[in-house]
Amino acid sequence: MLRRLIPDPFLLFLFGTVLLASVLPARGAFADLVGWLSLITIVMLFFFHGAKLARDQIVGGLIHWRLHLTILACTFVIFPVLGMIGVLTLPSLLPRDLWIGILFVCALPSTVQSAIAFVSMAKGNVPAAIASASASQMLGVIFTPLLMGLMAGAHGDGGVGLGGIGKIAAEILLPFVAGHLLRPWIGGWVARHRKLVGMTDRSTILIAVYGAFSAAVIEGLWHKLSPEALALLCAVDAVLLALGLGLTWGAGRVLGFDRADRIAILFCGTKKSLLQGVPMAKVLFPGGQTGVILLPIMLFHQMQLMACAFIARRYSDTEEANSDRG
């Protein structure tokens, strides 16, 4: 039962980190140490991401350009439009920072590992999923801050200024590019030490979440957010995910893609990356604000894992049943 409720055990560590920050938030010199450690791990994370990205996956994907443009449009156009519709039509439904968090979810790129895993489980187009998810991660380094600048500016929150763009370039884009350029020399080492690199990924999230929620708790996070606001946030996340799944499924059918490609569109077009979201939020938003803004993606991440796991199993069962009849 627990396995079904929490498909990724890492989520236990994630919410445990939030609990730790709520009880023992980082203060003073220790908070400064956590901040520096978070910066170092963020740089390492995007450096390794650049080193892991195989150029032939992107170049090879250009052959199926119509499919990849559809997936990228779902990720970076449809979701932002849904977010803006929500914030403009129901501005008083959620507190301001939670709405910014919802917009941030909408601006994030796709995941890589879990999107590919679900496409594979559902018997979809795995090579296309690899190419699209990799391209999404690469473009997200640029598109996510730009989209947040546009959407937050339209929401009246000023957007991302030159300082934020400079921090993105220094802490995320430059390490990413450096890692990718050094891939011919270090790619083999990264591939052989996947577990070590995976520990870097997850430790980055935990350190960044602890620092962000520590600052938010010190500023009175749990006094500002009512249980009703958290319940409404869960509902908004659920509606956003349901609309995303419905629209990506419908887009695949309307545009005439075959079953394997529709599966790739469904999973790659709706997945949102917690791995990139946490460090990006640390760079883009002020310390006390970051903890609140991260709540929507943390909840959305859990929901998308549960929903996509169920859908992928249904696709897999249907395919096996059709094969047996054939």
Side-chain angles (χ1 to χ4, degrees):
M1 180 63 70
L2 182 62
R3 180 69 175 174
R4 291 181 180 179
L5 291 175
I6 306 178
D8 185 358
F10 175 66
L11 289 169
L12 290 175
F13 290 96
L14 187 60
F15 287 110
T17 301
V18 173
L19 179 61
L20 177 63
S22 300
V23 178
L24 296 172
R27 301 175 184 269
F30 182 58
D32 294 335
L33 176 63
V34 171
W36 278 106
L37 188 58
S38 178
L39 172 60
I40 293 169
T41 54
I42 286 171
V43 170
M44 290 175 60
L45 181 147
F46 282 94
F47 177 82
F48 285 134
H49 266 257
K52 287 189 293 184
L53 180 63
R55 205 167 305 170
D56 57 352
Q57 292 176 352
I58 305 301
V59 176
L62 295 177
I63 299 173
H64 208 345
W65 61 268
R66 183 167 165 265
L67 172 63
H68 301 307
L69 285 180
T70 301
I71 292 173
L72 292 174
C74 292
T75 302
F76 295 117
V77 178
I78 289 179
F79 266 91
V81 168
L82 291 176
M84 287 306 300
I85 290 174
V87 77
L88 292 175
T89 56
L90 299 168
S92 61
L93 182 66
L94 295 174
R96 166 185 167 275
D97 285 348
L98 287 183
W99 268 127
I100 295 176
I102 291 292
L103 295 178
F104 184 57
V105 171
C106 295
L108 285 172
S110 175
T111 62
V112 175
Q113 290 91 341
S114 60
I116 295 170
F118 286 132
V119 171
S120 177
M121 183 190 302
K123 308 295 190 298
N125 188 338
V126 175
I130 293 172
S132 286
S134 300
S136 180
Q137 290 266 298
M138 180 178 66
L139 293 172
V141 175
I142 300 171
F143 284 2
T144 297
L146 291 178
L147 284 170
M148 281 308 301
L150 292 172
M151 292 191 296
H155 184 37
D157 292 302
V160 179
L162 293 177
I165 295 174
K167 290 182 71 177
I168 285 286
E171 299 178 23
I172 293 179
L173 184 58
L174 288 181
F176 185 90
V177 172
H180 189 59
L181 292 177
L182 291 173
R183 175 178 167 79
W185 295 276
I186 67 173
W189 184 91
V190 172
R192 289 192 302 271
H193 296 83
R194 290 181 180 177
K195 289 186 177 180
L196 178 62
V197 174
M199 289 175 61
T200 302
D201 291 349
R202 297 192 170 208
S203 63
T204 299
I205 293 178
L206 294 179
I207 293 169
V209 165
Y210 178 68
F213 273 89
S214 291
V217 168
I218 291 172
E219 292 190 10
L221 168 65
W222 302 121
H223 297 290
K224 296 176 182 178
L225 289 181
S226 65
E228 291 80 8
L230 292 175
L232 285 171
L233 173 61
C234 291
V236 171
D237 264 342
V239 170
L240 178 63
L241 177 60
L243 288 173
L245 289 169
L247 289 172
T248 50
W249 179 83
R253 282 190 171 276
V254 169
L255 295 175
F257 288 102
D258 62 25
R259 180 185 183 278
D261 287 347
R262 292 200 304 271
I263 289 172
I265 294 170
L266 178 68
F267 291 115
C268 294
T270 56
K271 297 285 287 179
K272 292 293 183 175
S273 178
L274 178 68
L275 182 61
Q276 279 200 328
V278 171
M280 278 191 176
K282 284 284 290 182
V283 175
L284 287 172
F285 306 109
Q289 188 184 21
T290 308
V292 184
I293 290 174
L294 283 175
L295 281 173
I297 182 56
M298 290 171 63
L299 293 172
F300 187 88
H301 180 76
Q302 168 65 16
M303 291 179 184
Q304 70 181 1
L305 283 176
M306 296 173 65
C308 290
F310 174 78
I311 294 170
R313 290 191 192 102
R314 291 294 299 271
Y315 269 118
S316 178
D317 293 343
T318 301
E319 179 68 13
E320 289 177 1
N322 291 337
S323 299
D324 292 341
R325 285 196 295 268

